[in-house]
Amino acid sequence: MTPDSQQLPTGTRVAIIMDGNGRWAQRRGVPITEGHREGGEALHRTTVAALDLGVSELTVYGFSTENFCRDPEEVAGIMSLFMELVEREAPIMVERDARMCFMGRRELLGDEIRERMRWAEELTAGGSSMTLCIAFGYGGRAEVVDAVRAAALEPGGVDAIDEEAIRRHLYRPELGDPDVIVRTAGEQRTSNFLIWQGAYSELVFSDTLWPDFGEGDLREVLREYAGRERRFGGRAETPPAVTS
Ligand code: FPP
């Protein structure tokens, strides 16, 4: 272990908005799908780095509900890259005792993709070193709507809905809130990503285009996060008690 990595926090929940594939491709004069392909390589590098650096949960924004509005050829390219990526990464996750899961509206996706997701989740279900969660067909507002609808069907109906009831019905209630949300490629907004879970997350913006992102950038994120003082609206470094 290098002296540098000894100073980095472990057990951190990191979420990443992987932005900049299009600009990366445009700057090289190559088709956008090449940018997404390199984005897939960056996701592999970053996942391995996260495992090596002791990150506990890595949640990435792979495809938003809004991304369906893009050119059909680009959408089809991302879908097939996603299938390849899941097939390639799941066995690596098993080797590293890690788990892979997904969040989003699966009904918006094709049967083959849903089947691939189910396969990867089952294959990696026993992993305990880290969880890689890929938000795919995901929108934060859609997630809250889906959670509220599900909570309203519980005994007590709408009168019994409180923060805890909504949390229980998020797509991945077993995951914690991200400690830090990163966005690459210089944009400074969260674009409908983890809007419930990210209420108290630290935000880190990186100028690196996602296809160029890797271990050094992740180290930089963790270093920056380690220097932040978290108060959760109060004075202590612990989350506030749940209110209704
Ligand atoms: C944002 O870049 C990226 C996406 C919309 C897709 C994310 C896809 C990958 C990282 C590739 C492989 C991984 C999965 C999970 C499919 P952009 O195209 O919006 O970039 P721009 O803002 O520069 O145009």
Side-chain angles (χ1 to χ4, degrees):
M1 201 186 271
T2 62
D4 176 41
S5 64
Q6 282 168 352
Q7 292 162 12
L8 297 176
T10 54
T12 309
R13 298 183 180 116
V14 177
I16 307 182
I17 301 171
M18 308 181 288
D19 194 13
N21 295 352
R23 275 162 283 174
W24 186 94
Q26 201 175 27
R27 283 178 199 177
R28 283 164 179 74
V30 297
I32 187 150
T33 307
E34 281 310 303
H36 292 318
R37 182 170 294 285
E38 284 305 315
E41 297 306 312
L43 179 53
H44 169 75
R45 282 196 301 276
T46 305
T47 302
V48 171
L51 282 158
D52 292 343
L53 293 170
V55 167
S56 61
E57 292 173 12
L58 177 65
T59 303
V60 296
Y61 208 177
F63 192 80
S64 71
T65 42
E66 292 73 28
N67 288 154
F68 279 106
C69 302
R70 293 193 178 192
D71 181 74
E73 204 181 317
E74 183 182 349
V75 172
I78 294 175
M79 295 293 156
S80 76
L81 266 174
F82 174 72
M83 300 254 286
E84 278 174 34
L85 184 138
V86 171
E87 185 168 0
R88 193 183 68 194
E89 298 299 319
I92 298 172
M93 301 301 282
V94 172
E95 263 172 44
R96 298 289 308 255
D97 186 32
R99 185 168 83 99
M100 184 187 251
C101 65
F102 307 92
M103 55 160 73
R105 281 188 171 162
R106 295 193 192 200
E107 66 273 23
L108 300 178
L109 305 167
D111 288 349
E112 216 186 333
I113 293 187
R114 295 207 308 239
E115 175 49 31
R116 191 70 54 95
M117 289 167 145
R118 198 193 55 73
W119 166 81
E121 285 177 340
E122 266 181 34
L123 186 73
T124 66
S128 60
S129 64
M130 186 185 86
T131 300
L132 168 66
C133 180
I134 305 180
F136 205 78
Y138 175 86
R141 289 181 177 176
E143 180 177 32
V144 173
V145 168
D146 290 349
V148 172
R149 282 183 181 152
L153 296 175
E154 285 200 328
V158 285
D159 290 339
I161 295 178
D162 57 13
E163 288 189 15
E164 201 37 52
I166 293 174
R167 175 175 294 283
R168 274 202 307 278
H169 291 284
L170 295 174
Y171 296 138
R172 285 286 160 197
E174 78 277 22
L175 299 185
D177 291 343
D179 295 306
V180 56
I181 297 180
V182 184
R183 184 174 188 140
T184 62
E187 309 290 346
Q188 303 201 346
R189 55 181 173 271
T190 54
S191 300
N192 203 17
F193 188 43
L194 303 178
I195 59 172
W196 181 277
Q197 302 88 330
Y200 287 98
S201 303
E202 294 296 322
L203 302 179
V204 172
F205 301 106
S206 160
D207 286 332
T208 304
L209 300 179
W210 176 251
D212 294 326
F213 200 89
E215 181 179 342
D217 301 271
L218 184 62
R219 282 178 181 274
E220 194 50 48
V221 165
L222 292 172
R223 212 173 286 127
E224 165 96 36
Y225 168 69
R228 299 279 176 94
E229 189 193 344
R230 304 187 75 192
R231 290 204 297 274
F232 299 97
R235 304 219 174 272
E237 293 222 344
T238 48
V242 169
T243 53
S244 57

